[in-house]
Amino acid sequence: MEISALTRSVVKHNHAIIAPDGYINSNVPGWTNCTVNVIINEQMGAHLAQTIITLREGGELQGQTQASQIFFYVVEGQVQASIDGQDKTLAAGQYVYVPVGKSYLFQNPEEGTQLLTFHKVYEPLADHETPGVLFGERDLSKAPVYMNNDALRIQELLPNELGFDMAVNIFTYDMGGHLPMVETHIMEHGLLYLEGEAIYMLDQHWYPVKKGDSIWMAPYCQQWATTMGKVPSVYIYYKNVNRFPTVI
Ligand code: UGY
Ligand code: MN
């Protein structure tokens, strides 16, 4: 019997695990016939936002990016996207990066289509072009081995160019895969588990996690993870990159 007073979700000053059992829906102007769950935003102390959107029949997301760029990833289902005049049907595993100041429309979804979004205020860099709209897809053949460990593969979904101030990667851990060290770093992460189960260590706390769970890691939140069970664990994650590290 499940007990409604228990959850795996936690919210701490420098990290959070958000499991779907605690979702409460938000209304977002321009996003209709859908449920929106705001997983991470600045109210937590974060410098990114992450949402998960589930579209019903007739669901639509219409808007214009302002100060923030938005990365949209199709977790399940399919939907038609029109981004700044470019039209494409996006299915599970496909994504579009929408830079600042561009219009977007997602419409005619399959019932139950789930989208993940990452939002970050764009920081322009002198002498480097603001990135354009970019479509792409998950592809394990484009995921090189990470730190000489055959059980770990990372696909970078955005180009490694200084014009970009955010990265979004897909990290696959085969059975037995674990981070080769405890990471301690300035970059922040937002993350969604796409497959499997794992144990995540955050700020010296240990958490069992699985497909559907999201994690926020503030800068310098110490992190380590290992896969668990008989199938690989896979997550998609955000990271801020490529900008001067201090205002001092
Ligand atoms: O890119 C990263 O910092 C990545 N290795 N961190 C993580 O997966 N928690
Ligand atoms: Mn990291």
Side-chain angles (χ1 to χ4, degrees):
M1 187 180 72
E2 284 186 19
I3 297 179
S4 67
L6 294 177
T7 180
R8 288 178 302 100
S9 297
V10 295
V11 180
K12 307 243 184 213
H13 81 282
N14 68 351
H15 66 274
I17 309 250
I18 306 291
D21 59 11
Y23 285 175
I24 295 290
N25 303 335
S26 293
N27 276 329
V28 176
W31 296 7
T32 51
N33 278 318
C34 59
T35 56
V36 181
N37 298 111
V38 181
I39 306 294
I40 299 171
N41 89 345
E42 58 270 35
Q43 312 292 329
M44 268 176 170
H47 297 89
L48 76 141
Q50 175 177 330
T51 78
I52 292 176
I53 305 152
T54 308
L55 292 153
R56 295 187 286 278
E57 208 185 318
E60 237 178 59
L61 310 181
Q62 181 157 34
Q64 164 110 12
T65 52
Q66 311 281 331
S68 284
Q69 54 209 316
I70 311 180
F71 181 96
F72 292 89
Y73 180 87
V74 183
V75 179
E76 269 174 43
Q78 98 173 15
V79 64
Q80 287 171 3
S82 303
I83 316 294
D84 192 36
Q86 297 184 55
D87 298 338
K88 198 167 158 53
T89 299
L90 295 179
Q94 298 185 310
Y95 62 87
V96 61
Y97 165 83
V98 184
V100 288
K102 302 289 180 203
S103 62
Y104 64 83
L105 173 64
F106 294 84
Q107 61 185 349
N108 300 321
E110 238 174 56
E111 170 83 34
T113 291
Q114 199 178 60
L115 299 178
L116 163 74
T117 66
F118 291 119
H119 312 232
K120 179 190 182 294
V121 172
Y122 182 64
E123 299 164 67
L125 185 64
D127 302 327
H128 291 273
E129 275 185 26
T130 302
V133 173
L134 193 125
F135 291 92
E137 63 189 11
R138 178 177 169 185
D139 182 350
L140 196 57
S141 73
K142 293 186 181 147
V145 161
Y146 182 64
M147 293 186 102
N148 295 323
N149 185 329
D150 286 343
L152 303 176
R153 315 264 298 267
I154 291 191
Q155 181 188 1
E156 296 180 347
L157 303 184
L158 295 176
N160 196 352
E161 290 167 9
L162 288 178
F164 284 90
D165 66 352
M166 66 188 266
V168 179
N169 304 332
I170 294 183
F171 202 163
T172 301
Y173 294 56
D174 281 338
M175 278 73 77
H178 57 83
L179 280 180
M181 74 253 184
V182 175
E183 294 184 8
T184 307
H185 58 63
I186 186 175
M187 293 78 90
E188 186 176 15
H189 293 314
L191 165 170
L192 173 69
Y193 263 92
L194 299 173
E195 287 168 25
E197 296 184 11
I199 298 286
Y200 230 104
M201 188 281 283
L202 299 165
D203 193 25
Q204 308 298 336
H205 298 274
W206 298 80
Y207 301 104
V209 290
K210 63 176 186 175
K211 175 178 174 174
D213 290 351
S214 295
I215 302 180
W216 169 57
M217 293 172 233
Y220 296 105
C221 174
Q222 291 188 295
Q223 55 205 256
W224 180 88
T226 188
T227 197
M228 188 165 73
K230 295 194 168 138
V231 293
S233 62
V234 182
Y235 55 79
I236 180 169
Y237 70 102
Y238 156 98
K239 182 173 181 173
N240 53 307
V241 293
N242 292 338
R243 291 298 179 266
F244 202 71
T246 177
V247 290
I248 297 170

